Amino acid sequence: MISGFESVQLTTLIMIVVAGFAAGWVDAVVGGGGLIQLPVLLLVPGITPVQALATNKMGSIFGTTTSAVTYYRRVGPDLKTAIPMAVIALAGSFGGAVLAANLPASVFKPIIVVALIAVALFTALRPNAGELTALRHDGHRHYVVACAIGAVIGFYDGLIGPGTGSFLVIALVTAMGYAFLEASAKAKIVNMATNAGALLFFLPHGSLLWGVGAVLGLSNMAGGYLGARTAVKQGSGFVRVVFLIVVGALIIKLGTDVWHDYFAQ
């Protein structure tokens, strides 16, 4: 199965297009589009989990690239911070993908659920966080913190994936002092790099379904473009609300996975 279309029914193809668009929109605003996209890919007959992950990354990189360009043109994020962060994140993502091939994600999911709950509580209880950019670090320390965030979250994206954009946004808001809109703009540049890092690992293994990935990518691009424009127009308050909704969905999804892994066997 090379294209992925060999046994795909029309209804499944329509679901892939709709999921790609919705995931692109969510990813552009706060990240977390993989929650929508990945489950639909698993409906493709005969697809393996590795093929689904690889094809998901291929689709996502179209959307994150489109939203990153849109944000750059409309928000103008500081590339002196975003580019080094993205390069480090790419390397981290590749390393995470290598480890993912040898270590089950279930080992890390309980930790991620706890972290997401903490993030949701922090954001909900501090309504003024992320309204305005007020950087917490100056000079060299600013770039060190940015690169550390890129390395850790890039590694997470290669290893597990769901919610990478959301983790990037909240780290940029809480650890660095960016407003939600500025954080989302930088997060898209970094998320584009983490998708590329994982793809660099998957490509030599022949895991991509090129046809499905192309369709997913085109619909993701459309969603990413609209999502970025919506976020820019509505501002940081809107991004914060969508962020809390997506983090809540992530908690439910990963929490259910943890329950199944540890208690439902």
Side-chain angles (χ1 to χ4, degrees):
M1 187 163 61
I2 297 175
S3 72
F5 289 136
E6 288 80 357
S7 55
V8 172
Q9 295 182 346
L10 180 60
T11 52
T12 303
L13 182 60
I14 292 172
M15 288 178 67
I16 289 170
V17 172
V18 172
F21 181 86
W25 189 93
V26 170
D27 262 337
V29 180
V30 292
L35 280 175
I36 303 168
Q37 202 163 261
L38 194 56
V40 174
L41 281 175
L42 292 171
L43 297 176
V44 174
I47 195 170
T48 67
V50 172
Q51 287 175 325
L53 287 170
T55 306
N56 177 59
K57 290 299 181 188
M58 179 182 172
S60 294
I61 200 168
F62 280 84
T64 50
T65 301
T66 302
S67 56
V69 171
T70 305
Y71 270 119
Y72 178 72
R73 294 174 63 183
R74 294 177 176 271
V75 178
D78 174 24
L79 295 183
K80 290 182 179 179
T81 300
I83 290 179
M85 190 177 176
V87 171
I88 297 295
L90 187 151
S93 179
F94 183 89
V98 171
L99 185 59
N102 303 289
L103 197 63
S106 59
V107 174
F108 299 92
K109 283 182 180 177
I111 301 171
I112 303 304
V113 171
V114 172
L116 282 169
I117 292 171
V119 163
L121 289 173
F122 175 88
T123 307
L125 296 176
R126 295 191 61 182
N128 295 327
E131 283 188 355
L132 300 171
T133 293
L135 297 180
R136 302 183 187 278
H137 311 289
D138 296 320
H140 183 68
R141 182 178 176 83
H142 172 87
Y143 298 104
V144 170
V145 173
C147 288
I149 291 170
V152 171
I153 299 180
F155 183 81
Y156 167 79
D157 191 26
L159 181 64
I160 303 176
T164 295
S166 300
F167 276 123
L168 282 168
V169 169
I170 197 61
L172 287 164
V173 169
T174 58
M176 301 196 69
Y178 286 106
F180 268 104
L181 185 60
E182 176 80 5
S184 288
K186 282 185 171 59
K188 289 314 109 198
I189 296 171
V190 178
N191 206 178
M192 179 176 62
T194 62
N195 286 332
L199 276 175
L200 286 174
F201 173 78
F202 287 126
L203 274 172
H205 294 78
S207 301
L208 283 173
L209 302 183
W210 292 96
V212 172
V215 170
L216 196 64
L218 290 172
S219 54
N220 210 279
M221 283 177 66
Y225 176 74
L226 181 62
R229 288 178 62 92
T230 303
V232 171
K233 182 179 179 180
Q234 299 297 329
S236 289
F238 171 79
V239 175
R240 180 181 179 275
V241 171
V242 177
F243 175 83
L244 283 170
I245 293 171
V246 171
V247 169
L250 279 166
I251 291 170
I252 293 170
K253 169 64 171 65
L254 293 178
T256 302
D257 289 348
V258 170
W259 178 270
H260 181 269
D261 290 341
Y262 288 92
F263 302 108
Q265 293 180 353

